[in-house]
Amino acid sequence: YAFSAPDLSPLQAWIDQTDSLSIGALKAYCEENGHREPVLETTLKWSMEVDENIARIVRNAANFPHTEEVLQKFSEFADVVIVSQTPREAIIREWKEHDILKYTVGVCGQEDGSKSACIRKAMGNRFAPDHVLMIGDAPGDLKAAKDNGVLFFPVIPNREEESWEAALEAASQFKENTYKGSAMEGYLEAFDRALLKEPAWS
């Protein structure tokens, strides 16, 4: 059995030019271009099914230990904003379910643009980059932080509980303006080492 992957260049072209990696933006683009590029219609259908399944299936997914402690600690001295490519409705529903939305002052979902754009909007002209910290668990999160010149704390794959516990110390360092520099670099080096450079099956 042979499998031929579809030509994804039309999808990549849209990703490169869009300001919002959202279903709404893709749907609008498909209305103009989808009839010429079937891969876009397929992507839209798949994306809608994913969101529908998440809304239907995801319930009572527990937080990692220490997550609420970290959010509470940051909220005592900083504005906590959620930056995610999850639909806003799902974010609010899930965070309310665990009673942790109360620690935040804002929610940026996929409807609000890329993570880089959401960080930029949240910063406005109020905060210097070294007074902003993003917590994330993926290279794309680190890129969004770098795009805006802000600090980054990584939640390391397969070491989530340990990472969230370490974030308590990082919160204190951030408050004291000592996180930037060697403290952050140590976490970033551990994050880089944990990321697979090649697929596990290769």
Side-chain angles (χ1 to χ4, degrees), residues 1-104:
Y1 178 76
F3 170 75
S4 297
D7 177 13
L8 298 179
S9 57
L11 177 60
Q12 186 63 56
W14 173 72
I15 291 171
D16 291 341
Q17 63 89 36
T18 188
D19 292 326
S20 175
L21 292 173
S22 67
I23 287 177
L26 180 57
K27 185 176 181 180
Y29 188 76
C30 282
E31 288 174 356
E32 295 184 10
N33 303 282
H35 62 286
R36 295 194 302 271
E37 305 293 354
V39 70
L40 296 174
E41 295 285 356
T42 300
T43 303
L44 177 61
K45 180 180 178 182
W46 176 83
S47 299
M48 294 173 68
E49 288 178 355
V50 168
D51 282 358
E52 289 167 3
N53 286 332
I54 289 173
R56 178 174 54 85
I57 296 170
V58 178
R59 292 287 187 279
N60 302 313
N63 299 324
F64 286 111
H66 309 295
T67 303
E68 184 168 3
E69 294 173 71
V70 171
L71 291 169
Q72 182 175 10
K73 188 168 184 176
F74 272 106
S75 71
E76 291 170 357
F77 65 88
D79 292 338
V80 178
V81 178
I82 301 168
V83 175
S84 175
Q85 283 300 293
T86 300
R88 191 186 305 110
E89 175 277 328
I91 297 169
I92 292 172
R93 172 171 44 79
E94 292 172 17
W95 283 58
K96 279 185 175 179
E97 181 180 302
H98 296 289
D99 195 30
I100 55 176
L101 191 66
K102 63 188 178 185
Y103 300 117
T104 70

Side-chain angles (χ1 to χ4, degrees), residues 82-158:
I82 301 168
V83 175
S84 175
Q85 283 300 293
T86 300
R88 191 186 305 110
E89 175 277 328
I91 297 169
I92 292 172
R93 172 171 44 79
E94 292 172 17
W95 283 58
K96 279 185 175 179
E97 181 180 302
H98 296 289
D99 195 30
I100 55 176
L101 191 66
K102 63 188 178 185
Y103 300 117
T104 70
V105 300
V107 177
C108 289
Q110 66 173 216
E111 303 89 341
D112 301 298
S114 68
K115 290 181 179 180
S116 295
C118 286
I119 292 173
R120 189 163 53 251
K121 290 175 188 175
M123 290 171 65
N125 295 314
R126 299 181 300 150
F127 302 105
D130 65 353
H131 283 64
V132 177
L133 172 69
M134 181 176 190
I135 298 176
D137 62 1
D141 297 328
L142 176 58
K143 180 182 183 302
K146 287 183 174 180
D147 287 345
N148 289 280
V150 305
L151 307 178
F152 185 76
F153 177 85
V155 176
I156 298 175
N158 298 317

